[in-house]
Amino acid sequence: MSLEIKLTVNGNSHTADLEPTTALVDFLRDTLGYKGGKRCCNTGECGACTIIMDGKPVNSCVVLGADAAGTDVVTVEGIAEGDELHPVQQAFIDTGAVQCGYCTPGFIVSLKALLDRTKNPTAEAVEEAISGNICRCTGYTKIFDAVELAAKRMA
C-alpha cells in the first residue's frame, strides 16, 4: 500500500506516492532525485543525510517520508542562489574544509541552519550545531574556519 504525500523541497512543490516505511533520505534521493544527502549510518548518528525541515536540521535517515508530508524541506541542492554558492558552501571551498566530501553536504546544511538563526555564532554554538555530523578526514579545524568565514561574509 502506498501513500500520496505533498511537500515542498527547495521551494518546489512535490506530490508523490511512497511506501509507508520509506525513509525520507531514500524518498529525496530515489524518488525526487536530490542526491546531496547520503545514506550512511541509518541511525541518525553521522549527519551525512542532514536536511533542513521546517527550519530545523534533521537527519533524514530516521524520518519516514510520510512524516514529511506538508513540510518545507531544504537540501544541500537548494542552498545556493542559482549559480552563486551560499557563503557556507564557498567558505568550505576557500578554507579547504573538504577532503573526501562524503560528509560535506550534511555539514553545510547544519551550518546554514545555524547561521540562519545566529549571525555570529560562538565556537560552542558551532560545536553544538555540528555535533550530529561526523567527518573522518578533516579533523574539524577547517570546518570551524569555514563557518567563521561564512559568518563574516554574511554580516
Side-chain angles (χ1 to χ4, degrees), residues 5-9 12-14 24 27-28 32 68-71 73:
I5 68 162
K6 297 177 184 178
L7 74 161
T8 302
V9 181
N12 300 310
S13 295
H14 295 278
L24 181 56
F27 177 67
L28 291 169
L32 300 182
T71 64
V73 170

Side-chain angles (χ1 to χ4, degrees), residues 34-98:
Y34 296 103
K35 304 284 187 184
K38 312 290 191 299
R39 173 179 284 288
C40 187
C41 71
N42 203 34
T43 60
E45 297 292 323
C46 74
C49 65
T50 304
I51 56 150
I52 298 171
M53 187 163 67
D54 289 338
K56 297 179 181 158
V58 177
N59 292 325
S60 62
C61 71
V62 294
V63 174
L64 291 175
D67 290 336
T71 64
D72 183 25
V73 170
V74 178
T75 68
V76 72
E77 292 92 343
I79 292 176
E81 297 281 338
D83 290 338
E84 187 173 334
L85 295 177
H86 185 277
V88 174
Q89 293 170 310
Q90 189 62 56
F92 262 67
I93 294 167
D94 294 344
T95 62
V98 177

Side-chain angles (χ1 to χ4, degrees), residues 18-153:
L18 75 155
E19 295 300 314
T21 58
T22 302
L24 181 56
V25 66
D26 296 325
F27 177 67
L28 291 169
R29 289 179 59 79
D30 300 338
T31 303
L32 300 182
Y34 296 103
K35 304 284 187 184
K38 312 290 191 299
R39 173 179 284 288
C40 187
C41 71
N42 203 34
T43 60
E45 297 292 323
C46 74
C49 65
T50 304
I51 56 150
I52 298 171
M53 187 163 67
D54 289 338
K56 297 179 181 158
V58 177
N59 292 325
S60 62
C61 71
V62 294
V63 174
L64 291 175
D67 290 336
T71 64
D72 183 25
V73 170
V74 178
T75 68
V76 72
E77 292 92 343
I79 292 176
E81 297 281 338
D83 290 338
E84 187 173 334
L85 295 177
H86 185 277
V88 174
Q89 293 170 310
Q90 189 62 56
F92 262 67
I93 294 167
D94 294 344
T95 62
V98 177
Q99 298 249 334
C100 82
Y102 195 85
C103 66
T104 303
F107 274 98
I108 287 172
V109 170
S110 293
L111 292 169
K112 183 216 184 287
L114 170 67
L115 292 174
D116 283 349
R117 63 181 187 275
T118 307
K119 298 303 176 204
N120 191 20
T122 64
E124 292 79 19
V126 173
E127 189 174 317
E128 175 66 26
I130 63 170
S131 64
N133 297 85
I134 296 173
C135 177
R136 298 292 185 209
C137 302
T138 66
Y140 299 92
T141 301
K142 292 189 184 261
I143 293 170
F144 277 84
D145 293 344
V147 73
E148 183 179 330
L149 179 59
K152 286 179 185 174
R153 289 177 175 170

